Amino acid sequence: MSFVRVSFQVNGSRVSVFVEPRTTLLDVLRKKLGLTGAKKGCDMGNCGACTVLVNGKSRLSCLTFAVQVDGMEITTVEGLSRGDSLDALQESFIRNDALQCGFCTPGQIMSAKFLLSVNPHPTLEEIKRYMAGNLCRCGAYPKIFRAIEEASRGVLSEAR
Ligand code: FES
Ligand code: FES
């Protein structure tokens, strides 16, 4: 069995790991780095639970080999908060009660993070269309969409 060294940044910290070439980014994050925010749902690109940002773009970490992100910057849901200060999307999800079991939530938030980075004020239709790849078995969609809409409108920061 051959191993290769892969180095990248995760949430601002440089990491270096030895992996088999077939190892996915999701498994490295969860099993080697202890970052369990990204979830393994389907493990085949269908549910969006494993979504992270790679160089600022949303990506399914279950379909990404770790060797593909060598030298790149990864952001997981753990990297959004600063100490006790949560990201506006995280606060909006809490405020809108946009989850039930919470399994899909990290992936939902990371996809929404990318959406708002390229389209800061999406319409409801645009939110629904973009978020279509993130499944929620609990059916929390209306609240998820409302949370994203509110975050895009800066409702939380205005309320502070
Ligand atoms: S676990 Fe990656 S898309 Fe489902
Ligand atoms: S909150 Fe349970 S799967 Fe979405």
Side-chain angles (χ1 to χ4, degrees):
M1 205 180 299
S2 66
F3 286 80
V4 291
R5 184 190 187 96
V6 181
S7 302
F8 47 88
Q9 297 260 340
V10 182
N11 301 330
S13 299
R14 185 176 164 79
V15 298
S16 214
V17 290
F18 283 97
V19 295
E20 286 183 68
R22 64 177 178 173
T23 307
T24 64
L25 174 59
L26 179 61
D27 280 344
V28 169
L29 292 172
R30 292 182 58 83
K31 294 180 182 173
K32 286 189 177 282
L33 304 178
L35 295 169
T36 54
K39 297 290 184 281
K40 187 179 278 192
C42 63
D43 206 20
M44 53 195 299
N46 290 333
C47 73
C50 63
T51 305
V52 298
L53 301 184
V54 176
N55 284 355
K57 294 186 178 167
S58 62
R59 190 136 152 187
L60 298 175
S61 60
C62 75
L63 292 189
T64 303
F65 291 118
V67 293
Q68 291 177 286
V69 302
D70 192 51
M72 298 187 181
E73 266 182 50
I74 315 300
T75 307
T76 69
V77 73
E78 290 93 339
L80 295 188
S81 57
R82 294 283 171 269
D84 288 340
S85 178
L86 297 180
D87 183 89
L89 270 165
Q90 292 173 307
E91 291 203 358
S92 194
F93 267 66
I94 294 170
R95 178 185 157 108
N96 283 282
D97 193 24
L99 57 138
Q100 286 184 41
C101 75
F103 189 84
C104 72
T105 311
Q108 303 277 0
I109 288 177
M110 297 313 289
S111 286
K113 188 77 184 161
F114 176 66
L115 169 64
L116 297 188
S117 74
V118 294
N119 182 2
H121 303 292
T123 64
L124 179 58
E125 279 314 306
E126 287 171 331
I127 292 172
K128 286 182 180 175
R129 201 175 320 126
Y130 186 76
M131 297 300 295
N134 286 81
L135 306 184
C136 175
R137 288 173 295 183
C138 300
Y141 297 110
K143 291 180 175 180
I144 291 170
F145 299 150
R146 192 183 316 139
I148 297 169
E149 234 185 344
E150 279 197 12
S152 76
R153 285 191 275 119
V155 168
L156 291 178
S157 48
E158 283 167 14
R160 278 178 185 153

